[in-house]
Amino acid sequence: MSITAAEVNKLRQQTGSGLMDCKNALTETNGDFEAAIDFLRKKGAKISEKRADREANEGVVIALTNAEGTFGVAVNLSCETDFVAKNESFIAIGKEVAQIALDNKIKSIDDLNASKMGNTTVGERLINEVGNIGEKIGVSKFGFLEGEGVVSYIHMGYRMGVLVQTNKSLNDAITLGAKDAAMQIAAMAPVAVDESGVSSDRIQRELEIGAELARNEGKPEAMIEKISQGRLKKFYQENTLLAQSFVKDGNLTVGAYLKTIDKDLTVVAFKRVTLGS
């Protein structure tokens, strides 16, 4: 029998499956809508539906940059178990999805899911893979950077990806310095590049915490403001990238280390994408 586009679209909207999968299901079931839903569920849609509320805190993070070093992506393809995360075929899917994001200069998860992947889209391919893998999977986190010089770093067996953007075009020395900065970011989890990148809400929070600690220590009220400002300065030193002590040489800050490579070199942005919620 002839299957109409409207029927295919209706089935797609209800199940989230791809157009061709919906058309095939309706064809296989002679246009029986409920039977077609059952057909799709047996192929994976049912598993996807059952697992919609499951935690998917395992997976891989793939970080890539283009050959010019001007654009990079970090993609977290999540799953439920470490067993699946370590499977070579799952890792290969993660790499393929990240490469699609890089090649198309994707800048959001929605755009990535809508991008072409073979004869389907990334989102539809991942729904279909649920049936093969047996777990909830999907792109759960995404980051990108675009600028003068962008490097990528993958940490701990695909468990974290870092992108670093410098203010200068890449050469061997600058690339090495940016990689060191990326490893610092992976290890020390700074909240911003420098104090100018810390939100006003976070600053106010740190000042309030500092003041409360000082009061709890019995400090005179007249000294509270000065003490809380001092603690804020320490917060910047410990939690902003350029002010942090460089893990490879504790005698330098990260900012000072970069200037040993080029007196004007600095990091202007970074993305740190990790597994988990």
Side-chain angles (χ1 to χ4, degrees), residues 121-138:
T121 66
V122 169
E124 290 166 350
R125 167 72 181 279
L126 295 181
I127 289 173
N128 292 338
E129 286 294 334
V130 170
N132 298 326
I133 292 173
E135 292 189 6
K136 177 184 177 182
I137 67 170

Side-chain angles (χ1 to χ4, degrees), residues 113-187:
N113 281 327
S115 297
K116 292 292 292 182
M117 189 174 188
N119 294 323
T120 184
T121 66
V122 169
E124 290 166 350
R125 167 72 181 279
L126 295 181
I127 289 173
N128 292 338
E129 286 294 334
V130 170
N132 298 326
I133 292 173
E135 292 189 6
K136 177 184 177 182
I137 67 170
V139 178
S140 56
K141 296 178 186 177
F142 176 82
F144 78 93
L145 285 177
E146 185 173 18
E148 194 72 22
V150 181
V151 301
S152 61
Y153 170 67
I154 298 175
H155 186 62
M156 295 174 57
Y158 303 111
R159 298 188 70 82
M160 182 190 305
V162 177
L163 301 173
V164 171
Q165 180 184 338
T166 67
N167 64 331
K168 287 181 169 283
S169 298
L170 300 179
N171 57 31
D172 289 346
I174 291 174
T175 298
L176 178 60
K179 288 279 189 183
D180 282 338
M183 287 187 279
Q184 174 90 16
I185 292 162

Side-chain angles (χ1 to χ4, degrees), residues 181-203:
M183 287 187 279
Q184 174 90 16
I185 292 162
M188 301 305 293
V191 300
V193 172
D194 57 27
E195 61 184 74
S196 69
V198 181
S199 70
S200 58
D201 287 346
R202 184 63 184 268
I203 292 171

